[in-house]
Amino acid sequence: MPRSSPVKIACRLCHDRRVKCDRSEGVACSNCRNARRQCELIISRRGRRRKLLPLTTQADLGSDLSEASRNVPYEGLTSSNPPLTTHAQDDGDKPRQEPCFPAQGPSGKTPYVGDSSNLNYLIQQFGNPFVGTTDARPLQDHLHGAMLARLGRPTTQEIEKLHISTIERIKNQGAFDLPSQETSQALLDCYFHFSLAAPILDKSRFLVTLEEGKSSHLLLNAIYLAATINCSDSVIAGAGFVSRYAASLTFYQRAKSLYDAGYETDAIATIQSTFLMGYWWNGLLEHKDPWYWVGISVGMAQALGLHRIKSYNRLEEKERKLWRRLWWMAMDINLSMLLDRPPHVQGRLCNVPPLSEADFDQASGSQVGYPDEANTFVINAVQLARTVDRFFTIKFDEDSGHSQDICLEQISLCSSSLSPEFKSLSPSSSKWAILTHILYQEYRLLLHRSNPRFSLNTGPGTPTFEICAEIYNMLEILMASDLLYAAAASIVAPVLSVLSIYIVNIHRGDTGVRWISHHRAQLCMLILDKLQDRFPVLAAFYPIYESLLRRHSAGGQTQDGARVAEHSATGSSMGNGASQLDNESNPGSINPTAGLFDQVAQDGMGMAFPFSFPFGNLFEDVFLNSPSQPTAYCEDDISYP
């Protein structure tokens, strides 16, 4: 009996399992026979033209719809680029390479597709429905065009009108205005010099797109915003701005206008931009604060799959390194602990490997002067964040402090594994070694503060007091080495943290403790005064802390808690830039009618600190909810880790 010839189409079972099918005419394959399944042939689509239903009606809607679907750049429609992927010719059994997300297109942009997993599944299972069309636009353009085709001409015309009015509006707001070439170069040089602690860009690629005139306006304005925090006063003046605040606000408003309009179609550029926009915090009543913008960055990153290792398989090695750096920089455990909020990122749901030196090879080669110590600092910061995220949880009312104890032990282990140049500190230590130790101490301080056993114990002999002393000493080293501005973005939160603790100690300590705390608080106030023109939120915090410092300063309270005579004092403002602290001979002086913030402090701390950064509830606990008698610094039955 002649042997049946094998068929060219696999059965459904073998197709689903991705195994070879040995079915022949009239004879079931061996896999189906072993599985006792009916051997059914699949319907082959190879070589056939596949269309989506809406495409058959697109021509009927007229040229207006076609033009509308091609001229909405902020919706991802405008593109003169070739398709997202090049499909193989229909030659025999050669598999077809279907488009997938997330993936970088030929234009260098990564389109944002919120439902990428299901979309990938549909395309891989049923094929690209737009293959064979004469329109060679990328797949994401087809998807949006198909949606527009179903809406009808009146709706698409209205969409086009809205688009035109939006573009005109952001043009009128100056969103597309750029500084002079000289100013732009100065700002970019400043950004790349000070951004070593947050390497979220590929400098070489960015400069190429800038040279070609293809750089993202959103990303450019976000970079300019970050640069205005650290650039010299001469750059601000040369750009024509009356103040640093005006410069930062201008670039922030331009970036925000472009983001709100949805103008940027590159998802990676949007993630980078919103991360940088988190550098702007206009004041205590501004709800679009760093937490807001980091949340947007994290949300988009998760939608693209930056938290899943399988999303990196489609990328080139250079892109993988950039994505890993971008993902780990967006991990917000430190910010969430400072603000007493749940983190946007949960490490247990991520499987991306941590950063290593290999992730900086490309960046180091393309960025002249990119120091190895900066890479080490970033790696240590990521490792520390992962450690804290893995072991730290806050249960608020039910918190026993057990997770904080475990986390403190793990932090100690991480600290012991630091490289020799980072392990010990001296006045000659590098900026990166000092910032690494400040970061470790800041985490320790936050963990002790959130531990119910230690939260109100802040005086001498407690871990909190010792940690504050360590941070204070490192701040002195930075100031003595003229590194205050170079480390500005990394020390704002620690300065506010230790200043809060010292104000508490001034409030309830004995005479010696109050004098020591007041002396150290003065240095913290000096740092805030120097930095408040770079971080506008500090200008809002400064008078509040200044009022508290005067109110609870060393000369304003006797050992038994009785109030003594108060005298007037003058403070500083961001306008004059000079700190006028209390007279050393009478640091407790205060004028009850000196100003608004003095009155707020008199009327009630709860109104002054409903959302204080950091330690949102520290002053509430101490000044409002604590018993009338001062809380003891140390308790005999407590052992401090």
Side-chain angles (χ1 to χ4, degrees), residues 187 190 194 224-237 241-251 280 485 530-536 574:
L187 290 173
C190 176
F194 285 98
Y224 292 151
L225 163 65
T228 56
I229 296 175
N230 297 296
C231 69
S232 64
D233 294 335
S234 60
V235 174
I236 298 295
F241 294 104
V242 297
S243 66
R244 190 181 300 274
Y245 179 93
S248 300
L249 178 61
T250 297
F251 293 124
W280 175 260
Y485 294 119
K530 297 295 184 183
L531 298 181
Q532 59 182 326
D533 68 322
R534 299 169 185 262
F535 301 95
M574 187 169 64

Side-chain angles (χ1 to χ4, degrees), residues 135-447:
D135 191 346
R137 288 179 297 164
L139 176 60
Q140 62 270 18
D141 290 12
H142 279 293
L143 292 172
H144 194 72
M147 182 272 292
L148 290 177
R150 287 186 171 274
L151 297 178
R153 182 180 300 176
T155 301
T156 54
Q157 289 177 340
E158 187 66 23
I159 291 175
E160 180 66 11
K161 291 179 181 178
L162 291 174
H163 165 59
I164 294 175
S165 65
T166 298
I167 296 299
E168 287 298 320
R169 174 174 55 81
I170 60 178
K171 277 184 179 179
N172 294 334
Q173 293 174 347
F176 299 109
D177 296 343
L178 296 176
S180 65
Q181 184 174 358
E182 181 181 359
T183 300
S184 176
Q185 187 62 50
L187 290 173
L188 291 176
D189 290 343
C190 176
Y191 170 78
F192 285 110
H193 178 73
F194 285 98
S195 66
L196 302 182
I200 63 171
L201 294 181
D202 183 333
K203 182 180 179 181
S204 59
R205 175 177 295 174
F206 172 80
L207 293 180
V208 169
T209 58
L210 183 66
E211 185 70 22
E212 296 174 349
K214 299 179 181 179
S215 56
S216 163
H217 280 273
L218 173 62
L219 182 56
L220 260 179
N221 281 291
I223 290 175
Y224 292 151
L225 163 65
T228 56
I229 296 175
N230 297 296
C231 69
S232 64
D233 294 335
S234 60
V235 174
I236 298 295
F241 294 104
V242 297
S243 66
R244 190 181 300 274
Y245 179 93
S248 300
L249 178 61
T250 297
F251 293 124
Y252 172 79
Q253 292 289 4
R254 291 176 182 176
K256 184 175 179 297
S257 297
L258 291 166
Y259 173 79
D260 291 340
Y263 184 82
E264 180 56 59
T265 59
D266 186 356
I268 294 297
T270 304
I271 296 171
Q272 294 166 328
S273 302
T274 51
F275 179 85
L276 293 176
M277 290 169 72
Y279 282 87
W280 175 260
W281 193 357
N282 193 35
L284 298 177
L285 301 181
E286 175 64 68
H287 72 278
K288 293 185 177 179
D289 56 8
W291 177 262
Y292 173 87
W293 291 113
V294 169
I296 292 176
S297 299
V298 171
M300 289 194 66
Q302 290 174 331
L304 282 183
L306 267 67
H307 63 298
R308 300 183 301 174
I309 194 171
K310 72 174 187 178
S311 301
Y312 294 69
N313 295 333
R314 310 182 185 104
L315 303 175
E316 297 179 358
E317 184 61 24
K318 189 172 184 178
E319 286 298 311
R320 293 178 187 175
K321 295 177 180 180
L322 174 64
W323 280 34
R324 276 196 293 268
R325 296 199 308 268
L326 184 56
W327 169 249
W328 288 117
M329 290 301 98
M331 189 171 187
D332 61 337
I333 182 65
N334 182 265
L335 182 61
S336 67
M337 291 179 66
L338 286 168
L339 295 174
D340 288 333
R341 300 175 186 175
H344 293 105
V345 176
Q346 297 187 37
R348 62 186 179 84
L349 302 179
C350 311
N351 63 351
V352 178
L355 293 180
S356 65
E357 288 291 345
D359 291 310
F360 297 88
D361 288 344
Q362 283 295 110
S364 298
S366 60
Q367 299 185 29
V368 177
Y370 197 106
D372 292 337
E373 283 195 347
N375 299 346
T376 305
F377 169 79
V378 174
I379 293 172
N380 290 336
V382 170
Q383 180 61 37
L384 186 57
R386 293 178 68 245
T387 300
V388 174
D389 174 77
R390 188 182 305 118
F391 295 99
F392 178 63
T393 57
I394 302 179
K395 298 182 180 179
F396 295 106
D397 293 339
E398 301 177 2
D399 195 0
S400 64
H402 179 66
S403 63
Q404 289 89 331
D405 295 339
I406 297 177
C407 199
L408 285 167
E409 294 176 0
Q410 295 298 320
I411 288 179
S412 298
L413 292 176
C414 288
S415 179
S416 63
S417 63
L418 291 174
S419 57
E421 61 270 20
F422 278 73
K423 187 171 295 186
S424 59
L425 283 183
S426 67
S428 60
S429 296
S430 69
K431 177 185 74 172
W432 301 110
I434 296 172
L435 293 182
T436 298
H437 278 267
I438 288 179
L439 185 61
Y440 270 80
Q441 298 297 342
E442 183 183 8
Y443 272 113
R444 291 184 60 208
L445 188 59
L446 291 168
L447 289 168

Side-chain angles (χ1 to χ4, degrees), residues 356-637:
S356 65
E357 288 291 345
D359 291 310
F360 297 88
D361 288 344
Q362 283 295 110
S364 298
S366 60
Q367 299 185 29
V368 177
Y370 197 106
D372 292 337
E373 283 195 347
N375 299 346
T376 305
F377 169 79
V378 174
I379 293 172
N380 290 336
V382 170
Q383 180 61 37
L384 186 57
R386 293 178 68 245
T387 300
V388 174
D389 174 77
R390 188 182 305 118
F391 295 99
F392 178 63
T393 57
I394 302 179
K395 298 182 180 179
F396 295 106
D397 293 339
E398 301 177 2
D399 195 0
S400 64
H402 179 66
S403 63
Q404 289 89 331
D405 295 339
I406 297 177
C407 199
L408 285 167
E409 294 176 0
Q410 295 298 320
I411 288 179
S412 298
L413 292 176
C414 288
S415 179
S416 63
S417 63
L418 291 174
S419 57
E421 61 270 20
F422 278 73
K423 187 171 295 186
S424 59
L425 283 183
S426 67
S428 60
S429 296
S430 69
K431 177 185 74 172
W432 301 110
I434 296 172
L435 293 182
T436 298
H437 278 267
I438 288 179
L439 185 61
Y440 270 80
Q441 298 297 342
E442 183 183 8
Y443 272 113
R444 291 184 60 208
L445 188 59
L446 291 168
L447 289 168
H448 279 291
R449 168 60 193 151
S450 64
N451 192 323
R453 303 201 314 273
F454 311 129
S455 58
L456 295 180
N457 296 298
T458 60
T462 65
T464 299
F465 192 86
E466 295 172 0
I467 293 170
C468 289
E470 289 287 337
I471 295 178
Y472 176 84
N473 292 335
M474 287 181 275
L475 293 175
E476 281 189 326
I477 295 176
L478 288 175
M479 292 195 70
S481 304
D482 198 20
L483 293 173
L484 182 65
Y485 294 119
S490 300
I491 66 173
V492 169
V495 169
L496 289 171
S497 301
V498 298
L499 178 58
S500 301
I501 298 299
Y502 287 139
I503 290 177
V504 170
N505 286 339
I506 292 171
H507 167 65
R508 64 185 185 187
D510 56 29
T511 303
V513 173
R514 292 204 304 271
W515 277 100
I516 293 173
S517 299
H518 179 83
H519 171 74
R520 294 177 177 176
Q522 281 186 311
L523 177 67
C524 295
M525 293 295 290
L526 177 62
I527 294 175
L528 295 184
D529 184 59
K530 297 295 184 183
L531 298 181
Q532 59 182 326
D533 68 322
R534 299 169 185 262
F535 301 95
V537 71
L538 295 183
F541 275 121
Y542 190 94
I544 300 177
Y545 278 94
E546 186 180 41
S547 176
L548 285 170
L549 186 59
R550 290 201 307 264
R551 184 175 180 82
H552 300 289
S553 55
Q557 187 176 4
T558 62
Q559 287 196 13
D560 59 0
R563 179 67 57 181
V564 299
E566 298 171 337
H567 306 281
S568 62
T570 57
S572 69
S573 64
M574 187 169 64
N576 58 34
S579 178
Q580 301 293 334
L581 294 174
D582 303 336
N583 191 306
E584 294 268 349
S585 61
N586 189 7
S589 58
I590 180 172
N591 184 354
T593 61
L596 170 64
F597 291 102
D598 290 333
Q599 192 62 39
V600 169
Q602 275 190 318
D603 292 344
M605 294 297 173
M607 293 299 295
F609 289 91
F611 33 61
S612 177
F613 168 88
F615 298 155
N617 58 352
L618 173 62
F619 294 110
E620 181 182 15
D621 290 346
V622 172
F623 298 130
L624 295 183
N625 299 331
S626 60
S628 57
Q629 294 298 325
T631 304
Y633 285 134
C634 300
E635 299 179 10
D636 296 337
D637 58 342

Side-chain angles (χ1 to χ4, degrees), residues 104-110 205 266:
Q104 189 180 69
S107 64
K109 294 184 176 182
T110 301
R205 175 177 295 174
D266 186 356

